Amino acid sequence: MGTSANAAAGGRGNPVDKGVDYAQYFCTYAFLYHQKEMLSDRVRMDAYFNAIFENKHHFNGKTVLDVGTGSGILAIWSAQAGARKVYAVEATKMSEHARSLVRANNLQNIVEVIEGSMEEITLPEKVDVIISEWMGYFLLRESMFDSVICARDRWLKPTGVMYPSHARMWMAPIRTGIGDHKMGDYQSAMDDWHNFVDETKTYYGVDMSTLTKPFSEEQRKYYLQTSLWSNLHPHQVIGTAAIIKEIDCLTATVNDIEKVRSKFSLSITMDNMLCGFGGWFDVHFRGRGEDPAEQEIELTTAPSVDCGTHWGQQVFLLHPPTHVNEGDNLTISFLMSRSKENHRLMEVELGCEIQQHSGKLLAPSKHKYYIE
Amino acid sequence: MGTSANAAAGGRGNPVDKGVDYAQYFCTYAFLYHQKEMLSDRVRMDAYFNAIFENKHHFNGKTVLDVGTGSGILAIWSAQAGARKVYAVEATKMSEHARSLVRANNLQNIVEVIEGSMEEITLPEKVDVIISEWMGYFLLRESMFDSVICARDRWLKPTGVMYPSHARMWMAPIRTGIGDHKMGDYQSAMDDWHNFVDETKTYYGVDMSTLTKPFSEEQRKYYLQTSLWSNLHPHQVIGTAAIIKEIDCLTATVNDIEKVRSKFSLSITMDNMLCGFGGWFDVHFRGRGEDPAEQEIELTTAPSVDCGTHWGQQVFLLHPPTHVNEGDNLTISFLMSRSKENHRLMEVELGCEIQQHSGKLLAPSKHKYYIE
């Protein structure tokens, strides 16, 4: 969605207008229903719960900052794990519910809920731990990690630890029936458009054919080029998965993540139709070198039968699908950058070159996607 | 949806931040798909087409201003009906498509497309006609008429005409199965919530019961108190319809429409369940007293078998439904005002007193609704 002003663009050199950022992004987090959806994600909850309670040495008697506390859950667990003081920062009016929840669980002497953005609020002291559940679809959608970096640079002690400590983006080749549906939807939309143009000329004397090209581009973007949420079954993964990006949460800068540029190989492990690519992420709770976790915890959003999460995976469709064989190799060039109109949304340029197991190299293809 | 700042509130004393207004409102109109939906509404198209072409005397050799031109359709028709000059104002980048459409229809010498808001742009002259399709659900949702009033006060000649010239809001008692569905949805959401609270206490040691009240209020608002779009069948109307509000587009002020306050009677015409109220509007193209239309055209969005529009009607549910009999009378007190957080959305306070045909007066009830 375009905006008439650059105000919503965001990014380091171009601060986002607060009201616009609220209307476009923050507002959904002010709903209890949305918080409940995330709190009902058992894989997510178990990972953070275990990361904290199996590593109490990081929390006991320590100071903690929860970036984007939402309902306050991570702050409450941190306090229950023995923290001396927890600062729970939340940009939306959800902070009022967090405050109420803290009090109902008798932790108001430890957990201080602060309403405001990480970029604006001040704390009375630096902290030993920054904990945050900041991950969006495919890890970086929402660009919330920027706020965690800001928090870290301003408020983490030199000896402090990040929870999670590491994050990775992954991609694998997949098969899916969704592509055919979306192509059908696109073609229906175009058929309908052509009828519409005819009727508008016939009944209303206005020739709309000049809009056919922009309409088809708009529909193409919507149906074919916008990444889709899906809960992929492992059987849909038809080749090896590769790491696109690795992030050390203690040292990463906004510059490191503003553009994600990578070249990697994927091997096909079964004869099948290559319908597109699935993207997901994992995070780890490892503490830091000098102060490691006693129990390393992993939170993964890889395709799974039983352990699906509310993040699902992001599906990037190929039109048309292409037949591939076991042993074929895909060389993928990947570039993800932030949308000019909204820094919390992404654009992806993906190049794909298939080398068949015979050695024959097929013509490379280039694809543009939007993570909306 | 609440905002953290008053910037989005809008209204006369409280200008809306442009970027926020775009993110919350204007942006959907920048999509061709959305324009096409409106252009495919034959009842809407026929009404405006006939209003213009059966009243060419208002357009021939005249100057016209199209407020919120979108794709440019009304501006193009005005030119085809003989206008000397048409100013077509559009706030979004849809203006580029309008410009392209004007050119493709060889009207670039008559129609000048101007990108900007009515409140900001300037015209080189005053106009004879202001034409606009500004009506939102239940007439005033979107508060676009404010921009038409602004245009009229700044740019309409003292002898000018408004297209449409009049608008009315209507309400009638209805029966519908939707209410039961929504109550079921609400109860499911609450059952699910209670399970969630139990599990969160059991597995994660956090007592969320303090959030039950705000959660139920949020869900109640969402499922039971938010007006619904519906395409009502005339058989669902179980009593007489009443006019809530009449607007003379030539003289109405923002003050006249900021709050819609009305008291009216509805008679029940068949024994049935009173499940709620349907709200809709009509507009008329009558010209002005001294310069009337030759052919008066009506555009109505009343419940209809064949002539439904994309506006449908707005349904305000009663929970629980109540049995009524032919001859029962409802006295309705109605107050619609703009949402503090977003002046383009509405809140409704509706009081209902039933006098049974026997003369017996039942206890009055009060209801709060949100038009989102």
Side-chain angles (χ1 to χ4, degrees), chain A residues 245 254-261 335-338:
Chain A
K245 178 81 179 172
V254 173
N255 198 48
D256 292 336
I257 61 170
E258 237 173 353
K259 287 193 190 313
V260 175
R261 198 185 297 269
L335 172 58
M336 187 174 85
S337 39
R338 300 171 178 205

Side-chain angles (χ1 to χ4, degrees), chain A residues 2 19-20 22 31-33 36 40 42 45-46 77 80 97 100-101 105 192-193 204-205 207 210 214-215 218, chain B residues 2 19-20 22 31-33 36 42 45-46 77 80 97 100-101 105 192 196 203-205 207 210 214 218:
Chain A
V20 174
Y22 190 89
F31 287 90
L32 284 163
Y33 183 78
K36 174 180 169 288
S40 300
R42 296 292 295 270
M45 291 288 271
D46 285 351
W77 283 339
Q80 290 174 335
H97 296 311
S100 153
L101 203 58
N105 287 270
D192 194 54
W193 171 265
Y204 300 120
D207 182 358
T210 191
F215 182 80
E218 188 186 284
Chain B
V20 173
Y22 190 91
F31 287 90
L32 283 164
Y33 183 77
K36 173 179 168 290
R42 296 291 294 269
M45 292 288 272
D46 284 351
W77 284 340
Q80 289 174 336
H97 296 312
S100 153
L101 203 58
N105 287 269
D192 194 54
F196 161 76
Y203 294 115
Y204 300 119
D207 182 359
T210 191
E218 188 186 285

Side-chain angles (χ1 to χ4, degrees), chain A residues 114-146:
Chain A
I114 300 167
E115 182 181 336
S117 76
M118 232 23 265
E119 291 76 5
E120 292 183 348
I121 60 98
T122 50
L123 302 179
E125 57 179 329
K126 293 202 182 212
V127 300
D128 299 298
V129 181
I130 289 179
I131 189 164
S132 180
E133 196 278 81
W134 52 265
M135 302 82 71
Y137 294 155
F138 203 19
L139 192 67
L140 293 177
R141 181 182 177 277
E142 297 179 42
S143 294
M144 187 179 158
F145 190 56
D146 289 20

Side-chain angles (χ1 to χ4, degrees), chain A residues 66-103:
Chain A
D66 177 1
V67 178
T69 201
S71 59
I73 187 72
L74 301 184
I76 286 171
W77 283 339
S78 300
Q80 290 174 335
R84 170 171 69 74
K85 183 78 186 185
V86 182
Y87 302 101
V89 179
E90 171 56 37
T92 74
K93 289 265 168 265
M94 183 57 57
S95 61
E96 295 175 4
H97 296 311
R99 206 169 280 120
S100 153
L101 203 58
V102 163
R103 183 164 281 279

Side-chain angles (χ1 to χ4, degrees), chain A residues 204-266:
Chain A
Y204 300 120
V206 179
D207 182 358
M208 300 245 168
S209 58
T210 191
L211 296 181
T212 299
K213 185 164 176 291
F215 182 80
S216 77
E217 284 165 3
E218 188 186 284
Q219 299 304 101
R220 178 167 281 277
K221 175 178 173 179
Y222 180 77
Y223 285 115
L224 307 181
Q225 294 181 283
T226 301
S227 61
L228 306 169
W229 184 99
S230 185
N231 208 2
L232 293 169
H233 191 287
H235 292 165
Q236 291 181 269
V237 179
I238 62 167
T240 56
I243 295 170
I244 301 176
K245 178 81 179 172
E246 299 202 57
I247 293 170
D248 180 339
C249 301
L250 201 53
T251 57
T253 64
V254 173
N255 198 48
D256 292 336
I257 61 170
E258 237 173 353
K259 287 193 190 313
V260 175
R261 198 185 297 269
S262 184
K263 200 161 181 174
F264 53 91
S265 286
L266 303 171

Side-chain angles (χ1 to χ4, degrees), chain A residues 309-330:
Chain A
T309 72
H310 78 286
W311 283 285
Q313 297 83 31
Q314 287 286 283
V315 168
F316 302 85
L317 294 167
L318 285 173
H319 302 282
T322 183
H323 196 270
V324 289
N325 291 102
E326 187 177 348
D328 289 353
N329 258 306
L330 312 180

